[in-house]
């Protein structure tokens, strides 16, 4: 915790990052199961598009490093030093030999959570949409910082609306005596 406070003192998080942090803190208290949605979105998203996202972040934040981290092909070998040095280690997965196999096994593990109720699954899906939009907001901020013409950061409420609408629909079904769609 002290290391995080020191980092935040030196480089305060952007508003979109703060919003994302607050959302994770909120769901950790209210419904910790939903953290799976954020893990799913972050890990699978970063494994799927991490190299592209790293290039966007590198350009927008004027991060240093060699071309190998930006233009690496195939495995991440050979790019780890520059990736770590330029602040993009978040997109380097040195312990994952095959992104495809990892993603397939990750999805299968989630599919095997057969103890979840329909309502929990609906909320997990809704929260994955929240996580996706919260991540989009961070990259929208990078576009704004990079001076991309017409760039803007969407409202936080647009992200959380997926979860809020899901909760409302579940409450309405409960009031109507419906079972949540276990047809």
């Amino acid at each position: 915790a002290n290391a995080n406070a020191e980092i935040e003192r030196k480089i305060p998080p952007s508003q979109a990052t703060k919003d994302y942090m607050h959302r994770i803190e909120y769901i950790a208290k209210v419904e910790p199961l939903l953290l799976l949605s954020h893990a799913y979105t972050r890990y699978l998203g970063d494994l799927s598009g991490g190299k592209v996202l790293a290039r966007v972040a590198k350009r927008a934040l004027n991060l240093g490093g060699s071309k190998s981290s930006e233009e690496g092909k195939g495995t991440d070998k050979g790019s780890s030093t520059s990736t770590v040095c330029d602040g993009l280690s978040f997109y380097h997965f040195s312990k994952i030999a095959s992104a495809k196999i990892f993603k397939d096994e990750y999805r299968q593990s989630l599919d095997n959570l057969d103890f979840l109720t329909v309502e929990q699954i609906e909320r997990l899906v809704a929260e994955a949409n929240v996580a996706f939009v919260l991540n989009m907001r961070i990259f929208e901020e990078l576009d704004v910082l990079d001076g991309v013409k017409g760039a803007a950061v969407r409202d936080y409420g647009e992200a959380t609306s997926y979860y809020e609408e899901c909760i409302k629909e579940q409450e309405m079904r409960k009031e109507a005596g419906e079972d949540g769609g276990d047809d």
Side-chain angles (χ1 to χ4, degrees), residues 40-91:
Y40 175 86
T41 304
R42 292 295 337 149
Y43 288 118
L44 271 59
D46 291 339
L47 278 168
S48 297
K51 288 184 181 184
V52 172
L53 296 176
R55 279 195 298 269
V56 170
K58 184 175 184 173
R59 184 187 72 238
L61 298 174
N62 296 315
L63 298 173
S66 72
K67 283 187 163 189
S68 64
S69 68
E70 184 177 325
E71 297 172 3
K73 292 181 174 64
T75 66
D76 288 329
K77 292 177 184 163
S79 66
S80 62
T81 303
S82 63
T83 301
V84 171
C85 291
D86 64 17
L88 299 173
S89 61
F90 190 77
Y91 297 106

Side-chain angles (χ1 to χ4, degrees), residues 117-128:
T117 67
V118 170
E119 291 81 9
Q120 288 173 314
I121 293 168
E122 289 172 346
R123 291 192 303 275
L124 280 164
V125 170
E127 190 63 28

